[in-house]
Amino acid sequence: MPTPPYAPVSDADLAVLRAQLGRPARGVVGIAARCVCGNPTVAATAPRLPDGTPFPTFYYLTHPGATAAMSTLEAEHIMRDLNDELADDDDLRAAYTRAHEAYIADRTVFGDVDEIAGISAGGMPTRVKCLHAVLGHALAAGPGVNPVGDRALAMSSWSPDRCVCAEPGSAG
């Protein structure tokens, strides 16, 4: 299986991730998506952290603007609407299942971890549980791979096409 084309992690990336997260990033194996200014937006994280903890969230959304936008949508209970749509739309359900399978395939490149076998993130493939996780996947994989992540991005106030890293409360 080929390695996903993630940019190598530099010391500068790790410093930005630390500022974004307010703590050191753990188990980063690549930067899966970047802001238009070059700062990390999504970190690819090893399926087993250095301390041995299984970690299913391979695509970890780190950009403060993106995480704030997803938190706002979650507070507005958008997940309820997305779950209703998922329950009613066979095509969406099939696409979300394919997203789940793609997520696991991407993570497996970095190791198989029995404790998280078959588990992706964000509630995939049967429900929408965490918009941060599905947006992280959508940004890393590109448009059309994770339909729920694409919908969350379209509904949000944040755009990957506009840098807000220098705004107050953002890292960069």
Side-chain angles (χ1 to χ4, degrees):
M1 209 178 284
T3 301
Y6 305 132
V9 181
S10 68
D11 289 341
D13 290 332
L14 292 173
V16 170
L17 289 171
R18 181 185 188 101
Q20 289 175 333
L21 299 171
R23 62 168 173 76
R26 303 173 298 159
V28 178
V29 296
I31 303 302
R34 290 184 181 273
C35 177
V36 294
C37 74
N39 279 332
T41 298
V42 177
T45 305
R48 188 174 297 280
L49 297 177
D51 69 0
T53 304
F55 196 75
T57 308
F58 180 62
Y59 293 118
Y60 197 93
L61 187 66
T62 63
H63 190 287
T67 58
M70 293 304 103
S71 293
T72 297
L73 290 176
E74 288 182 356
E76 293 170 352
H77 307 286
I78 295 300
M79 288 153 345
R80 181 177 28 218
D81 297 337
L82 290 169
N83 277 308
D84 290 346
E85 192 177 343
L86 195 60
D88 295 338
D89 186 331
D90 292 341
D91 292 337
L92 178 60
R93 216 171 22 259
Y96 200 48
T97 296
R98 287 190 300 275
H100 161 77
E101 292 164 353
Y103 191 105
I104 292 171
D106 290 352
R107 184 182 66 213
T108 299
V109 170
F110 294 93
D112 282 319
V113 176
D114 288 341
E115 298 95 323
I116 58 172
I119 298 169
S120 56
M124 291 187 287
T126 59
R127 64 190 179 118
V128 182
K129 179 181 172 191
C130 177
L131 295 180
H132 301 80
V134 295
L135 178 61
H137 183 217
L139 293 170
V145 175
N146 190 314
V148 174
D150 292 346
R151 280 173 167 77
L153 178 59
M155 289 186 271
S156 80
S157 60
W158 179 82
S159 170
D161 299 324
R162 185 177 66 87
C163 178
V164 294
C165 292
E167 292 181 9
S170 294

